[in-house]
Short mmCIF file of all heavy atoms in Angstrom, two decimals:
data_model
loop_
_atom_site.label_atom_id
_atom_site.label_comp_id
_atom_site.label_asym_id
_atom_site.label_seq_id
_atom_site.Cartn_x
_atom_site.Cartn_y
_atom_site.Cartn_z
N GLY A 1 0.88 -7.12 -8.42
CA GLY A 1 1.60 -6.40 -7.39
C GLY A 1 2.54 -5.37 -7.94
O GLY A 1 2.67 -4.24 -7.42
N HIS A 2 3.19 -5.70 -9.02
CA HIS A 2 4.13 -4.80 -9.67
C HIS A 2 3.41 -3.59 -10.23
O HIS A 2 3.86 -2.44 -10.12
CB HIS A 2 4.88 -5.54 -10.79
CG HIS A 2 5.92 -4.69 -11.47
ND1 HIS A 2 5.63 -3.93 -12.58
CD2 HIS A 2 7.25 -4.49 -11.20
CE1 HIS A 2 6.74 -3.30 -12.96
NE2 HIS A 2 7.72 -3.61 -12.15
N ASP A 3 2.26 -3.83 -10.81
CA ASP A 3 1.46 -2.75 -11.39
C ASP A 3 1.02 -1.75 -10.32
O ASP A 3 1.09 -0.54 -10.51
CB ASP A 3 0.24 -3.33 -12.09
CG ASP A 3 -0.69 -2.26 -12.66
OD1 ASP A 3 -0.19 -1.38 -13.42
OD2 ASP A 3 -1.89 -2.28 -12.33
N LEU A 4 0.57 -2.27 -9.17
CA LEU A 4 0.14 -1.41 -8.06
C LEU A 4 1.30 -0.54 -7.55
O LEU A 4 1.13 0.64 -7.25
CB LEU A 4 -0.44 -2.26 -6.92
CG LEU A 4 -1.86 -2.77 -7.11
CD1 LEU A 4 -2.23 -3.72 -6.01
CD2 LEU A 4 -2.86 -1.60 -7.16
N LEU A 5 2.48 -1.16 -7.44
CA LEU A 5 3.64 -0.42 -6.98
C LEU A 5 4.03 0.70 -7.96
O LEU A 5 4.39 1.79 -7.54
CB LEU A 5 4.82 -1.37 -6.76
CG LEU A 5 4.74 -2.30 -5.55
CD1 LEU A 5 5.86 -3.30 -5.53
CD2 LEU A 5 4.73 -1.49 -4.27
N MET A 6 3.95 0.38 -9.23
CA MET A 6 4.25 1.38 -10.25
C MET A 6 3.27 2.56 -10.14
O MET A 6 3.67 3.73 -10.23
CB MET A 6 4.17 0.76 -11.66
CG MET A 6 5.31 -0.22 -11.96
SD MET A 6 6.93 0.61 -12.10
CE MET A 6 6.74 1.49 -13.63
N ARG A 7 2.00 2.26 -9.93
CA ARG A 7 1.00 3.31 -9.82
C ARG A 7 1.15 4.13 -8.56
O ARG A 7 0.98 5.34 -8.55
CB ARG A 7 -0.38 2.70 -9.90
CG ARG A 7 -0.75 2.21 -11.33
CD ARG A 7 -1.85 1.18 -11.35
NE ARG A 7 -3.06 1.64 -10.66
CZ ARG A 7 -4.04 0.84 -10.24
NH1 ARG A 7 -3.92 -0.47 -10.40
NH2 ARG A 7 -5.10 1.34 -9.66
N LEU A 8 1.52 3.46 -7.47
CA LEU A 8 1.76 4.17 -6.21
C LEU A 8 2.94 5.13 -6.35
O LEU A 8 2.89 6.27 -5.88
CB LEU A 8 2.06 3.18 -5.07
CG LEU A 8 0.86 2.44 -4.43
CD1 LEU A 8 1.37 1.34 -3.52
CD2 LEU A 8 0.01 3.43 -3.63
N ARG A 9 3.96 4.64 -7.01
CA ARG A 9 5.16 5.46 -7.24
C ARG A 9 4.84 6.66 -8.12
O ARG A 9 5.27 7.80 -7.80
CB ARG A 9 6.23 4.56 -7.88
CG ARG A 9 7.50 5.24 -8.35
CD ARG A 9 8.50 4.18 -8.79
NE ARG A 9 9.64 4.76 -9.44
CZ ARG A 9 9.80 4.89 -10.74
NH1 ARG A 9 8.80 4.55 -11.57
NH2 ARG A 9 10.92 5.41 -11.27
N GLU A 10 4.09 6.43 -9.17
CA GLU A 10 3.76 7.54 -10.07
C GLU A 10 2.83 8.54 -9.42
O GLU A 10 2.89 9.74 -9.71
CB GLU A 10 3.09 6.94 -11.35
CG GLU A 10 4.07 6.18 -12.23
CD GLU A 10 3.35 5.33 -13.27
OE1 GLU A 10 2.09 5.42 -13.37
OE2 GLU A 10 4.04 4.58 -13.99
N SER A 11 1.97 8.08 -8.52
CA SER A 11 1.03 8.99 -7.83
C SER A 11 1.71 9.75 -6.68
O SER A 11 1.09 10.65 -6.11
CB SER A 11 -0.14 8.20 -7.28
OG SER A 11 0.24 7.41 -6.17
N ARG A 12 2.93 9.37 -6.33
CA ARG A 12 3.66 9.96 -5.21
C ARG A 12 2.84 9.89 -3.91
O ARG A 12 2.86 10.79 -3.10
CB ARG A 12 4.01 11.41 -5.51
CG ARG A 12 5.02 11.57 -6.66
CD ARG A 12 5.22 12.98 -7.06
NE ARG A 12 6.33 13.09 -8.00
CZ ARG A 12 7.56 13.51 -7.73
NH1 ARG A 12 7.85 13.91 -6.50
NH2 ARG A 12 8.50 13.58 -8.63
N LEU A 13 2.10 8.76 -3.78
CA LEU A 13 1.29 8.48 -2.60
C LEU A 13 0.17 9.52 -2.39
O LEU A 13 -0.23 9.78 -1.27
CB LEU A 13 2.16 8.40 -1.35
CG LEU A 13 3.36 7.42 -1.40
CD1 LEU A 13 4.10 7.42 -0.08
CD2 LEU A 13 2.90 6.01 -1.76
N GLN A 14 -0.34 10.09 -3.49
CA GLN A 14 -1.38 11.13 -3.40
C GLN A 14 -2.77 10.54 -3.68
O GLN A 14 -3.78 11.21 -3.36
CB GLN A 14 -1.09 12.23 -4.41
CG GLN A 14 0.25 12.94 -4.23
CD GLN A 14 0.22 13.91 -3.07
OE1 GLN A 14 -0.81 14.11 -2.44
NE2 GLN A 14 1.34 14.53 -2.80
N ASP A 15 -2.87 9.34 -4.26
CA ASP A 15 -4.14 8.77 -4.68
C ASP A 15 -4.75 7.99 -3.50
O ASP A 15 -4.34 6.85 -3.19
CB ASP A 15 -3.93 7.87 -5.89
CG ASP A 15 -5.23 7.38 -6.50
OD1 ASP A 15 -6.20 7.22 -5.75
OD2 ASP A 15 -5.26 7.14 -7.72
N GLU A 16 -5.75 8.57 -2.86
CA GLU A 16 -6.34 7.96 -1.66
C GLU A 16 -6.96 6.59 -1.97
O GLU A 16 -6.83 5.64 -1.20
CB GLU A 16 -7.42 8.88 -1.08
CG GLU A 16 -8.02 8.40 0.22
CD GLU A 16 -7.01 8.40 1.36
OE1 GLU A 16 -6.09 9.21 1.36
OE2 GLU A 16 -7.17 7.54 2.26
N LYS A 17 -7.68 6.48 -3.08
CA LYS A 17 -8.32 5.22 -3.44
C LYS A 17 -7.28 4.14 -3.66
O LYS A 17 -7.47 2.99 -3.24
CB LYS A 17 -9.15 5.45 -4.71
CG LYS A 17 -9.92 4.21 -5.14
CD LYS A 17 -10.74 4.48 -6.38
CE LYS A 17 -11.49 3.23 -6.85
NZ LYS A 17 -12.29 3.49 -8.09
N LEU A 18 -6.19 4.47 -4.34
CA LEU A 18 -5.12 3.52 -4.60
C LEU A 18 -4.45 3.08 -3.31
O LEU A 18 -4.09 1.90 -3.12
CB LEU A 18 -4.08 4.15 -5.55
CG LEU A 18 -2.93 3.25 -6.03
CD1 LEU A 18 -3.50 2.03 -6.78
CD2 LEU A 18 -1.99 4.04 -6.94
N LEU A 19 -4.31 4.00 -2.37
CA LEU A 19 -3.66 3.68 -1.08
C LEU A 19 -4.53 2.68 -0.31
O LEU A 19 -4.01 1.72 0.27
CB LEU A 19 -3.45 4.95 -0.27
CG LEU A 19 -2.34 5.87 -0.72
CD1 LEU A 19 -2.37 7.20 0.06
CD2 LEU A 19 -0.97 5.20 -0.54
N ILE A 20 -5.83 2.92 -0.27
CA ILE A 20 -6.75 2.01 0.42
C ILE A 20 -6.66 0.63 -0.20
O ILE A 20 -6.66 -0.40 0.51
CB ILE A 20 -8.19 2.54 0.38
CG1 ILE A 20 -8.33 3.84 1.17
CG2 ILE A 20 -9.17 1.50 0.94
CD1 ILE A 20 -8.01 3.74 2.63
N GLU A 21 -6.59 0.58 -1.52
CA GLU A 21 -6.49 -0.71 -2.23
C GLU A 21 -5.21 -1.42 -1.80
O GLU A 21 -5.21 -2.65 -1.57
CB GLU A 21 -6.50 -0.48 -3.72
CG GLU A 21 -6.41 -1.77 -4.54
CD GLU A 21 -6.38 -1.51 -6.05
OE1 GLU A 21 -6.54 -0.36 -6.48
OE2 GLU A 21 -6.21 -2.51 -6.81
N TYR A 22 -4.15 -0.67 -1.68
CA TYR A 22 -2.87 -1.32 -1.32
C TYR A 22 -2.83 -1.71 0.16
O TYR A 22 -2.29 -2.77 0.51
CB TYR A 22 -1.67 -0.42 -1.64
CG TYR A 22 -0.41 -1.21 -1.83
CD1 TYR A 22 -0.25 -2.05 -2.94
CD2 TYR A 22 0.60 -1.19 -0.89
CE1 TYR A 22 0.88 -2.80 -3.12
CE2 TYR A 22 1.77 -1.95 -1.06
CZ TYR A 22 1.87 -2.76 -2.17
OH TYR A 22 2.99 -3.56 -2.34
N TYR A 23 -3.43 -0.90 1.02
CA TYR A 23 -3.53 -1.29 2.42
C TYR A 23 -4.25 -2.62 2.56
O TYR A 23 -3.83 -3.50 3.32
CB TYR A 23 -4.28 -0.23 3.23
CG TYR A 23 -3.57 1.11 3.37
CD1 TYR A 23 -4.31 2.32 3.50
CD2 TYR A 23 -2.17 1.20 3.37
CE1 TYR A 23 -3.67 3.52 3.62
CE2 TYR A 23 -1.53 2.42 3.49
CZ TYR A 23 -2.30 3.59 3.61
OH TYR A 23 -1.67 4.79 3.74
N ASN A 24 -5.36 -2.75 1.83
CA ASN A 24 -6.14 -3.99 1.90
C ASN A 24 -5.32 -5.19 1.39
O ASN A 24 -5.44 -6.29 1.89
CB ASN A 24 -7.43 -3.85 1.09
CG ASN A 24 -8.50 -3.08 1.86
OD1 ASN A 24 -8.63 -3.24 3.08
ND2 ASN A 24 -9.25 -2.25 1.16
N ARG A 25 -4.54 -4.92 0.35
CA ARG A 25 -3.69 -6.00 -0.20
C ARG A 25 -2.69 -6.47 0.83
O ARG A 25 -2.43 -7.67 0.97
CB ARG A 25 -2.98 -5.49 -1.47
CG ARG A 25 -2.22 -6.56 -2.21
CD ARG A 25 -1.53 -5.99 -3.45
NE ARG A 25 -0.77 -7.00 -4.16
CZ ARG A 25 -1.23 -7.69 -5.20
NH1 ARG A 25 -2.47 -7.47 -5.61
NH2 ARG A 25 -0.49 -8.58 -5.81
N ILE A 26 -2.10 -5.51 1.57
CA ILE A 26 -1.13 -5.84 2.62
C ILE A 26 -1.83 -6.63 3.73
O ILE A 26 -1.33 -7.67 4.19
CB ILE A 26 -0.47 -4.58 3.18
CG1 ILE A 26 0.42 -3.93 2.13
CG2 ILE A 26 0.35 -4.91 4.44
CD1 ILE A 26 1.00 -2.59 2.54
N ILE A 27 -2.97 -6.13 4.17
CA ILE A 27 -3.71 -6.76 5.26
C ILE A 27 -4.08 -8.22 4.96
O ILE A 27 -3.97 -9.10 5.78
CB ILE A 27 -4.96 -5.96 5.63
CG1 ILE A 27 -4.57 -4.59 6.19
CG2 ILE A 27 -5.88 -6.71 6.58
CD1 ILE A 27 -5.73 -3.59 6.30
N GLU A 28 -4.50 -8.45 3.72
CA GLU A 28 -4.90 -9.80 3.29
C GLU A 28 -3.70 -10.75 3.21
O GLU A 28 -3.87 -11.94 3.47
CB GLU A 28 -5.60 -9.73 1.92
CG GLU A 28 -6.95 -9.06 1.97
CD GLU A 28 -7.53 -8.80 0.59
OE1 GLU A 28 -6.88 -9.24 -0.39
OE2 GLU A 28 -8.58 -8.16 0.48
N SER A 29 -2.56 -10.25 2.85
CA SER A 29 -1.43 -11.14 2.58
C SER A 29 -0.42 -11.26 3.74
O SER A 29 0.32 -12.25 3.82
CB SER A 29 -0.66 -10.67 1.34
OG SER A 29 -0.17 -9.36 1.53
N TYR A 30 -0.42 -10.29 4.66
CA TYR A 30 0.56 -10.30 5.73
C TYR A 30 0.08 -11.19 6.88
O TYR A 30 -0.93 -10.90 7.53
CB TYR A 30 0.78 -8.85 6.22
CG TYR A 30 1.78 -8.68 7.34
CD1 TYR A 30 3.09 -9.11 7.21
CD2 TYR A 30 1.42 -8.08 8.55
CE1 TYR A 30 4.02 -8.96 8.20
CE2 TYR A 30 2.33 -7.89 9.57
CZ TYR A 30 3.63 -8.35 9.40
OH TYR A 30 4.53 -8.16 10.40
N ASP A 31 0.78 -12.27 7.13
CA ASP A 31 0.38 -13.25 8.13
C ASP A 31 0.96 -12.85 9.48
O ASP A 31 2.10 -13.11 9.81
CB ASP A 31 0.93 -14.64 7.74
CG ASP A 31 0.45 -15.73 8.66
OD1 ASP A 31 -0.43 -15.45 9.49
OD2 ASP A 31 0.99 -16.85 8.58
N TYR A 32 0.10 -12.19 10.27
CA TYR A 32 0.52 -11.70 11.59
C TYR A 32 -0.69 -11.65 12.52
O TYR A 32 -1.75 -11.19 12.12
CB TYR A 32 1.15 -10.32 11.47
CG TYR A 32 1.64 -9.75 12.81
CD1 TYR A 32 2.84 -10.19 13.35
CD2 TYR A 32 0.89 -8.79 13.48
CE1 TYR A 32 3.29 -9.69 14.58
CE2 TYR A 32 1.32 -8.30 14.70
CZ TYR A 32 2.52 -8.74 15.25
OH TYR A 32 2.97 -8.26 16.45
N VAL A 33 -0.50 -12.14 13.75
CA VAL A 33 -1.56 -12.11 14.74
C VAL A 33 -1.30 -10.92 15.69
O VAL A 33 -0.32 -10.89 16.41
CB VAL A 33 -1.59 -13.41 15.56
CG1 VAL A 33 -2.67 -13.33 16.64
CG2 VAL A 33 -1.82 -14.59 14.64
N GLY A 34 -2.17 -9.92 15.64
CA GLY A 34 -2.01 -8.76 16.47
C GLY A 34 -2.16 -7.49 15.68
O GLY A 34 -2.40 -7.48 14.47
N ASN A 35 -1.96 -6.35 16.35
CA ASN A 35 -2.08 -5.05 15.71
C ASN A 35 -0.76 -4.71 14.99
O ASN A 35 0.32 -5.11 15.42
CB ASN A 35 -2.36 -3.95 16.75
CG ASN A 35 -3.65 -4.20 17.49
OD1 ASN A 35 -4.24 -5.27 17.43
ND2 ASN A 35 -4.14 -3.19 18.19
N PHE A 36 -0.86 -3.93 13.92
CA PHE A 36 0.36 -3.50 13.23
C PHE A 36 0.12 -2.19 12.49
O PHE A 36 -1.01 -1.80 12.21
CB PHE A 36 0.88 -4.60 12.30
CG PHE A 36 -0.06 -5.03 11.22
CD1 PHE A 36 -0.07 -4.41 9.97
CD2 PHE A 36 -0.91 -6.11 11.43
CE1 PHE A 36 -0.92 -4.84 8.97
CE2 PHE A 36 -1.77 -6.55 10.42
CZ PHE A 36 -1.79 -5.90 9.19
N LEU A 37 1.24 -1.55 12.17
CA LEU A 37 1.21 -0.25 11.50
C LEU A 37 1.87 -0.39 10.13
O LEU A 37 2.97 -0.96 10.01
CB LEU A 37 1.97 0.80 12.34
CG LEU A 37 2.14 2.19 11.71
CD1 LEU A 37 0.80 2.88 11.60
CD2 LEU A 37 3.13 3.03 12.55
N ILE A 38 1.21 0.11 9.09
CA ILE A 38 1.75 0.16 7.73
C ILE A 38 2.20 1.59 7.44
O ILE A 38 1.42 2.53 7.63
CB ILE A 38 0.69 -0.29 6.69
CG1 ILE A 38 0.14 -1.66 7.00
CG2 ILE A 38 1.29 -0.24 5.27
CD1 ILE A 38 -1.10 -2.03 6.18
N LEU A 39 3.41 1.73 6.99
CA LEU A 39 3.94 3.06 6.62
C LEU A 39 4.46 3.01 5.19
O LEU A 39 5.15 2.06 4.80
CB LEU A 39 5.06 3.51 7.56
CG LEU A 39 4.67 3.81 9.02
CD1 LEU A 39 5.91 4.05 9.85
CD2 LEU A 39 3.74 5.02 9.07
N LEU A 40 4.17 4.10 4.43
CA LEU A 40 4.70 4.21 3.08
C LEU A 40 5.36 5.58 2.93
O LEU A 40 4.81 6.61 3.33
CB LEU A 40 3.57 4.11 2.04
CG LEU A 40 2.96 2.72 1.83
CD1 LEU A 40 1.67 2.82 1.02
CD2 LEU A 40 3.91 1.79 1.12
N TYR A 41 6.59 5.60 2.43
CA TYR A 41 7.33 6.82 2.22
C TYR A 41 7.59 6.99 0.72
O TYR A 41 7.79 6.02 0.00
CB TYR A 41 8.71 6.74 2.91
CG TYR A 41 8.72 6.47 4.39
CD1 TYR A 41 8.45 5.19 4.88
CD2 TYR A 41 9.03 7.45 5.30
CE1 TYR A 41 8.51 4.90 6.24
CE2 TYR A 41 9.10 7.18 6.66
CZ TYR A 41 8.82 5.90 7.11
OH TYR A 41 8.88 5.65 8.46
N HIS A 42 7.66 8.27 0.28
CA HIS A 42 8.03 8.54 -1.10
C HIS A 42 9.20 9.54 -1.13
O HIS A 42 9.23 10.49 -0.35
CB HIS A 42 6.86 9.14 -1.89
CG HIS A 42 7.22 9.49 -3.29
ND1 HIS A 42 7.65 10.74 -3.69
CD2 HIS A 42 7.29 8.69 -4.42
CE1 HIS A 42 7.92 10.72 -4.98
NE2 HIS A 42 7.72 9.51 -5.46
#
């Protein structure tokens, strides 16, 4: 998780493939029933 965050930070949220990977990581780990929105700011 730390490595992914470091790469996201270094990419300034420009790497589409890395973003999809992180979205999936959030979706798999976030325990919530219903729709939700993920936002990332740099």
Side-chain angles (χ1 to χ4, degrees):
H2 183 270
D3 177 53
L4 282 172
L5 288 173
M6 289 292 289
R7 288 158 56 197
L8 281 170
R9 174 173 171 264
E10 290 166 4
S11 72
R12 294 173 171 255
L13 307 182
Q14 301 283 358
D15 188 329
E16 184 67 29
K17 184 179 178 181
L18 185 59
L19 287 171
I20 295 298
E21 181 181 355
Y22 203 69
Y23 293 150
N24 281 322
R25 187 181 179 94
I26 292 174
I27 293 168
E28 291 170 5
S29 60
Y30 181 57
D31 185 9
Y32 181 78
V33 178
N35 299 13
F36 58 91
L37 175 67
I38 303 168
L39 292 173
L40 289 166
Y41 304 75
H42 178 265

